[in-house]
Amino acid sequence: MVATLAAWATHIVGGELNLQYTNQGYRFVLSVNLYFDDINGEQDAEDEEVFVAVFSKRSNRRVATFTLPRVASAQVNYTNAACSNGRLQTRQIQYSTEIILDANIYNEAEGYYFSWERCCRNESIVNITNPGDNGMVFYMEFPAVMLTGNRVVNSSPAFPMPKGDYACVNEPFYFDFGATDADGDQLKYSLITPKRGTSNARNTPFGPGPHPGVRGQFYPAPYPIVSWANGFSVANMIAGPQPLQVNATTGQITFTTNRVGLYVFSVLCEEYRNGEKIGAVQRDFQLLVIDCPKNDAPVILAKEVNALAVYQEGETISLSYGGQPCIDLLVTDPNRNSTLHVAVNALNFSGQDITVLTSQGVVNGAADTLRSRICFNTCIAHTKEDPLLLQVIASDNGCPIPKRDTLLLRVYIEPVPTNAPQVTTTLVSNVATIQAGQTIRFDVIASDPDNDLINLYALGVGFSLTEAGMEFVNSSGLGKIMQPFTWTPGCEVTENNSAFVIHFITEDNSCSPNRFDTVTVNLEVENFELLLSRFTPPNVFTPNEDGTNDTFVIPDLPPDNCQYTFKSIEIYNRWGRPVYTAYEREFTWSGQEYPTGSYFYLINYGATVFKGTVSLLR
């Protein structure tokens, strides 16, 4: 019989209950997260289903029971997989089902609690008496789903899957038990004595049998608690120089013990809404403490780039605005072949304003150094009296959890001078009228009196420069930039638009709101008919061979474009008879054989014809 009891007494590491609202009616998902000892546990002790009871807090009356089938099983990982230990391997077994909490039933103001009992704990636990005959209770409180006619929507705090780590004797240990809450409720953490409950190795409804609760024997609170072994208590669950503690706000577990062994403890997470407690979840767990090989913590130092002196905590590093301000980090570790990691947390500004150039590397003993660098965006809002605060953390790959060193940096970056840049063009008055098919060229010049890095770019108002066929290259440079603008407008571009407005913008790298300057250029593509209407060719010539105005020529004929092309000029006398025809725009009519008088001409541009008169005088 003793062997049978021992076989059933070494499988459960801990666990908790969980209740999550499905956002559908009064439906919830109820789960039991059970942590199972994969090294010492008897596989026959792994239940196919579990039975969870719900009780009224006001009367301790059992309201209902639920059957939860096994739905998942997954190994609990170590923080560092290389630290696995043959004495410790934990597996999470999850039981879950969807339940309905009827508003006509679950409406008591005092709320309700779920419980699940099971035996037994590991016999090798050192901080409670008779652990192999001690069961455990997974316990969770939750509010009514309906109060005074008002719906109450709530999910329980959800603990994360823990790490499968062990702790080292005489070494600080930390463990994240911080839960999350889907409703955004405030969470508070505390240590409590684990519940033993009513199950033990001889109480078969809750004992070693494969179906605890199958006989319908469910027990309400208050539940018996474990008895602490000599020298242990709720304030001293894991004894040592720094007994086990939990951060009331974050849920982080910390301790340093000088005794090896297996320790059990419980963390209570209470949820508050508008200052009132509405629920709670208790997690049972156990930790193994062993004698580990020595591992020393890394050491992190910081200094200004190219400086000799290292930073001392409490000082403020002042960085010049010239270039990109950076700080060098030097990380050492006395242990050989240590993989070091560097993390930087911005405490009073956005982490997007910094860049960490090297975050990981291997060092080979105290004479080796991992070199990293933090570089800053110079436009972070701060003052010398309120400098930037950064937490730099260097951690190694030691077992079971990394050793680390933390450095708090205070940094002030001198402000960049705020003289605004300027942008101009070589285009007179920044206005031009051109014709389709003609080319316009001018330069755009940006400059900065502080010789800062400046950008120069162009934006078309309501159109894309590239799609319009305009050529201009956005660029950057120190102090001064000159870029040409070239455009030969085509008919397809000007068909529906004749006015083009372009903003040429320069920007420096200062933090000033006056770091921009803009010059606007207006380009108009002239309508050909309008050009013809303003065209004024000569209206008289004197072919008397005196060397002045002896021929009829039109040197400033409107140029060809994509719509209109010069075809010919025809000259007629007053009776409509043709006297001269030319097909070249550089024509010359001497008129020598024709009498004084008025002559009519037609200049043919294909789709349009220009008409005019010229007088021949002698």
Side-chain angles (χ1 to χ4, degrees):
M1 183 65 177
V2 174
T4 301
L5 293 177
W8 289 97
T10 59
H11 61 290
I12 299 179
V13 172
E16 74 276 345
L17 291 162
N18 183 263
L19 184 70
Q20 296 297 308
Y21 180 50
T22 65
N23 294 317
Q24 295 180 345
Y26 293 89
R27 296 180 178 274
F28 295 78
V29 174
L30 176 64
S31 303
V32 171
N33 297 319
L34 179 67
Y35 298 100
F36 187 87
D37 186 340
D38 253 5
I39 301 296
N40 302 305
E42 288 286 342
Q43 297 304 313
D44 291 341
E46 185 178 331
D47 301 320
E48 293 296 325
E49 57 186 12
V50 298
F51 303 90
V52 177
V54 57
F55 297 88
S56 161
K57 286 186 68 177
R58 181 182 63 187
S59 63
N60 285 322
R61 173 184 59 86
R62 180 162 59 91
V63 180
T65 58
F66 302 100
T67 302
L68 282 61
R70 184 176 58 188
V71 296
S73 178
Q75 293 294 326
V76 176
N77 297 323
Y78 285 80
T79 298
N80 182 352
C83 296
S84 60
N85 184 290
R87 296 171 56 187
L88 183 63
Q89 181 59 62
T90 305
R91 182 159 50 93
Q92 183 196 62
I93 305 169
Q94 189 175 60
Y95 301 86
S96 185
T97 193
E98 187 175 279
I99 65 173
I100 296 176
L101 300 181
D102 192 332
N104 295 315
I105 298 174
Y106 295 91
N107 53 22
E108 295 180 3
E110 294 82 358
Y112 301 83
Y113 63 90
F114 286 101
S115 69
W116 176 74
E117 298 194 53
R118 188 65 160 91
C119 188
C120 295
R121 300 180 186 272
N122 284 312
E123 291 182 324
S124 55
I125 293 172
V126 300
N127 61 340
I128 63 174
T129 61
N130 196 21
D133 197 33
N134 270 250
M136 64 190 67
V137 180
F138 289 6
Y139 179 85
M140 176 179 64
E141 299 177 357
F142 74 100
V145 299
M146 183 70 71
L147 273 179
T148 62
N150 296 315
R151 179 71 187 276
V152 179
V153 175
N154 187 61
S155 295
S156 69
F159 282 107
M161 181 184 285
K163 296 295 184 181
D165 296 332
Y166 51 87
C168 295
V169 68
N170 294 319
E171 293 286 352
F173 183 83
Y174 50 90
F175 208 30
D176 183 16
F177 265 36
T180 58
D181 190 272
D183 312 301
D185 295 323
Q186 181 186 9
L187 303 182
K188 295 182 180 180
Y189 303 88
S190 60
L191 296 174
I192 63 172
T193 299
K195 294 178 173 60
R196 177 173 59 82
T198 57
S199 63
N200 56 49
R202 295 169 184 79
N203 184 352
T204 53
F206 294 92
H211 301 293
V214 72
R215 297 182 183 177
Q217 297 184 30
F218 296 92
Y219 294 90
Y223 296 101
I225 58 177
V226 300
S227 296
W228 293 109
N230 215 12
F232 297 95
S233 67
V234 69
N236 198 30
M237 294 186 187
I238 302 180
Q242 294 182 338
L244 179 70
Q245 301 175 49
V246 63
N247 186 295
T249 303
T250 66
Q252 187 181 59
I253 297 290
T254 56
F255 69 88
T256 303
T257 182
N258 51 12
R259 290 178 52 182
V260 298
L262 183 63
Y263 298 87
V264 67
F265 62 95
S266 270
V267 173
L268 180 67
C269 176
E270 299 171 292
E271 61 175 333
Y272 289 80
R273 185 175 297 175
N274 299 322
E276 180 181 351
K277 178 182 172 181
I278 61 170
V281 179
Q282 178 180 333
R283 170 182 269 187
D284 261 34
F285 211 70
Q286 65 184 36
L287 280 170
L288 178 66
V289 179
I290 65 174
D291 194 3
C292 305
K294 182 175 176 55
N295 176 44
D296 297 294
V299 176
I300 185 166
L301 300 174
K303 66 183 186 67
E304 295 182 47
V305 176
N306 299 324
L308 296 177
V310 298
Y311 170 79
Q312 302 295 322
E313 279 203 3
E315 296 178 347
T316 298
I317 298 178
S318 291
L319 300 178
S320 168
Y321 69 84
Q324 186 177 28
C326 301
I327 293 175
D328 281 339
L329 302 177
L330 311 174
V331 188
T332 59
D333 193 301
N335 305 119
R336 295 185 61 82
N337 297 318
S338 293
T339 300
L340 302 180
H341 300 265
V342 177
V344 181
N345 299 322
L347 301 183
N348 61 348
F349 63 101
S350 171
Q352 296 181 347
D353 287 323
I354 57 173
T355 302
V356 181
L357 301 188
T358 302
S359 59
Q360 179 175 317
V362 177
V363 297
N364 293 301
D368 199 4
T369 302
L370 171 64
R371 298 180 181 274
S372 182
R373 180 170 287 184
I374 308 171
C375 292
F376 298 81
N377 173 358
T378 56
C379 290
I380 311 172
H382 68 296
T383 64
K384 203 163 191 176
E385 294 72 28
D386 185 21
L388 305 176
L389 300 179
L390 302 91
Q391 182 189 51
V392 184
I393 303 172
S395 57
D396 65 14
N397 61 332
C399 293
I401 57 176
K403 287 287 187 68
R404 60 186 185 180
D405 186 26
T406 301
L407 183 65
L408 180 65
L409 294 178
R410 297 166 54 92
V411 179
Y412 172 67
I413 305 171
E414 295 178 2
V416 176
T418 57
N419 292 307
Q422 295 179 333
V423 59
T424 59
T425 78
T426 57
L427 180 65
V428 177
S429 301
N430 297 314
V431 174
T433 300
I434 59 175
Q435 299 164 19
Q438 286 187 323
T439 299
I440 183 172
R441 294 182 178 88
F442 58 86
D443 290 326
V444 183
I445 305 157
S447 60
D448 186 88
D450 302 315
N451 207 38
D452 288 335
L453 176 68
I454 53 176
N455 299 313
L456 175 63
Y457 52 95
L459 296 176
V461 178
F463 71 96
S464 163
L465 271 69
T466 301
E467 292 177 0
M470 298 176 180
E471 297 179 18
F472 183 80
V473 178
N474 297 337
S475 55
S476 299
L478 282 174
K480 186 174 183 178
I481 304 170
M482 178 182 291
Q483 283 293 338
F485 173 89
T486 305
W487 186 36
T488 305
C491 295
E492 68 282 357
V493 174
T494 59
E495 189 172 320
N496 299 315
N497 187 22
S498 61
F500 295 83
V501 178
I502 309 167
H503 297 314
F504 293 97
I505 304 168
T506 186
E507 175 188 3
D508 67 21
N509 67 336
S510 74
C511 307
S512 169
N514 300 319
R515 65 183 181 274
F516 299 94
D517 189 34
T518 301
V519 63
T520 300
V521 168
N522 291 273
L523 301 179
E524 184 173 358
V525 181
E526 192 167 31
N527 178 279
F528 190 76
E529 279 92 354
L530 182 62
L531 180 65
L532 280 178
S533 71
R534 297 199 303 262
F535 173 53
T536 55
N539 58 5
V540 65
F541 75 108
T542 56
N544 53 14
E545 298 183 354
D546 63 356
T548 301
N549 200 22
D550 287 331
T551 60
F552 178 51
V553 296
I554 307 177
D556 56 347
L557 273 171
D560 295 342
N561 61 44
C562 51
Q563 290 178 297
Y564 304 101
T565 303
F566 177 85
K567 302 293 185 182
S568 65
I569 181 169
E570 297 175 342
I571 302 176
Y572 300 86
N573 64 18
R574 60 180 177 171
W575 292 284
R577 293 178 182 178
V579 297
Y580 180 80
T581 300
Y583 299 96
E584 299 81 24
R585 61 171 49 244
E586 296 82 12
F587 70 89
T588 299
W589 181 44
S590 67
Q592 288 289 351
E593 65 273 35
Y594 295 101
T596 298
S598 294
Y599 292 82
F600 302 93
Y601 61 84
L602 301 176
I603 303 175
N604 184 1
Y605 274 90
T608 189
V609 175
F610 181 81
K611 301 176 183 179
T613 62
V614 62
S615 296
L616 188 158
L617 302 175
R618 283 191 170 88

